[in-house]
Amino acid sequence: MAEDIFTPLRVARAARIATDIHRFDLVSPDGAALPEFTGGAHLKVRTPNGLVRRYSLCSDPLDTGAYSIAVKREAGGAGGSVALCDTVKEGDTLPCTEPRNDFALKGSPVSRVFIAGGIGITPIMAMIAEIEGMGGAPWKLWYLTQSPGHTAFREELRAFGSKVVIHHDGGDPDQAFDLWPVLEQPKGRHVHCCGPRGLMQAVRDMTGHWPGSAVHFEDFGSAAKPRAEDAAFRVRLARSGEILEVPAGTTILDALRAAGHAIASSCETGTCGTCRTPLVSGVAEHRDLVLMEHEKAGFIMPCVSRAAAGCGELVLDP
Ligand code: FES
């Protein structure tokens, strides 16, 4: 991916809009219009403690006077969201990239199903605004949160009446909403899902019989994060026989690039499908949301997936 270029935006408004969720409205310091974006786009923000985080734009794409992001304060995280939520106030500037979209509204479906879990509502707010403002397929949103207090944009969504179903599980998995009746029959629809990894995996599992082009996910990097159990392994390139070491904490994609191999990528979170690579042999641990069950023996998404535990070598044909 091209190197990120950050330019400062001024915080026109900073407000807490739900439990542990803070909204920031960002404008150009000179009042100029901002670059256009489409629903589903995100930008990267350099936080006050120097970390880079990506946040979906939740504002109306027709409004280029300001961008809005909503940030969940993750007390157990690396500190980027805490620094944003606890220290950034109106009048401050935040270095931000231009918007980029890996989750855009695509195709011409009969209708669109939006499924949001918690802070995953943010890109979907902009997608709904885009459809409402510029026209588009009919839509319905299922928005799953812990409680009314944890539900951002409740008032805005109330205006859409029965097009929005909000379900609170009280933090109890036994109270989780059953999405199967929603997803059992594709009916020419597209589904767009953003939320915790478990929710997206459940939606992936329930849409295995949908056309792959009709199912869309947005992930903010949870699949790409190193895990404690990750171990080093080797990748052998089928044609050249070249062997690459992939240490824990390094993705196959990074290892291939470090060895001088140009591999196309986009999301680098296992959701877009750009980096799909033939898997010739070896057992992979698939961490993406792209591959269908029947594809997993023959392909891998090297931006997130690794060799399975006990498998020391994958043979790939990039
Ligand atoms: Fe998007 Fe790998 S770059 S799935």
Side-chain angles (χ1 to χ4, degrees):
M1 286 201 280
E3 203 177 320
D4 294 320
I5 298 171
F6 289 83
T7 52
L9 295 182
R10 185 171 59 80
V11 178
R13 180 172 164 255
R16 180 180 168 281
I17 59 169
T19 303
D20 287 337
I21 298 178
H22 295 246
R23 173 174 176 157
F24 299 93
D25 295 342
L26 307 168
V27 298
S28 170
D30 62 6
L34 296 167
E36 292 179 2
F37 71 99
T38 52
H42 67 271
L43 43 70
K44 291 184 182 172
V45 177
R46 183 167 293 124
T47 67
N49 57 344
L51 299 172
V52 173
R53 293 289 177 263
R54 56 183 267 180
Y55 294 105
S56 292
L57 295 172
C58 54
S59 44
D60 186 342
L62 284 175
D63 178 7
T64 54
Y67 296 149
S68 297
I69 58 172
V71 177
K72 178 159 187 223
R73 187 182 184 280
E74 306 270 12
S81 66
V82 171
L84 275 173
C85 294
D86 291 2
T87 66
V88 173
K89 55 190 186 316
E90 205 174 302
D92 289 350
T93 56
L94 280 176
C96 301
T97 63
E98 286 195 6
R100 168 193 163 93
N101 201 341
D102 299 319
F103 191 48
L105 294 165
K106 290 184 185 151
S108 308
V110 170
S111 64
R112 295 190 189 272
V113 173
F114 294 114
I115 299 173
I119 193 64
I121 188 65
T122 50
I124 288 168
M125 291 302 291
M127 295 164 103
I128 289 172
E130 179 176 328
I131 293 174
E132 292 290 314
M134 299 180 222
W139 59 272
K140 185 153 180 166
L141 164 67
W142 281 263
Y143 180 18
L144 315 178
T145 73
Q146 186 176 334
S147 72
H150 290 84
T151 307
F153 308 113
R154 244 183 333 153
E155 289 310 314
E156 292 93 322
L157 290 170
R158 207 189 297 275
F160 294 116
S162 61
K163 291 161 91 170
V164 176
V165 175
I166 299 180
H167 175 80
H168 308 301
D169 65 10
D172 177 359
D174 288 343
Q175 302 299 317
F177 188 82
D178 180 9
L179 287 164
W180 179 240
V182 177
L183 299 172
E184 185 176 4
Q185 295 182 33
K187 297 183 193 160
R189 300 173 297 170
H190 276 211
V191 60
H192 304 263
C193 177
C194 183
R197 195 75 186 177
L199 171 67
M200 294 198 291
Q201 194 62 58
V203 170
R204 167 87 279 174
D205 293 346
M206 286 185 216
T207 53
H209 58 301
W210 288 49
S213 59
V215 184
H216 313 273
F217 295 99
E218 174 72 320
D219 181 279
F220 295 120
S222 58
K225 279 191 190 136
R227 300 181 191 175
E229 68 272 20
D230 286 350
F233 60 97
R234 282 186 310 277
V235 163
R236 184 153 57 85
L237 304 188
R239 287 184 230 189
S240 64
E242 183 181 352
I243 291 184
L244 311 175
E245 301 294 333
V246 185
T250 297
T251 64
I252 298 174
L253 186 65
D254 289 339
L256 285 164
R257 286 181 173 158
H261 301 280
I263 307 288
S265 72
S266 182
C267 70
E268 301 196 358
T269 60
T271 54
C272 76
T274 306
C275 69
R276 173 191 296 247
T277 299
L279 169 64
V280 178
S281 67
V283 182
E285 182 183 318
H286 295 284
R287 296 182 179 176
D288 63 276
L289 291 164
V290 175
L291 293 175
M292 309 296 272
E293 217 41 56
H294 66 273
E295 298 176 305
K296 290 183 174 174
F299 293 93
I300 188 169
M301 312 308 295
C303 63
V304 292
S305 298
R306 307 182 65 77
C311 172
E313 182 176 286
L314 296 177
V315 181
L316 307 185
D317 190 11

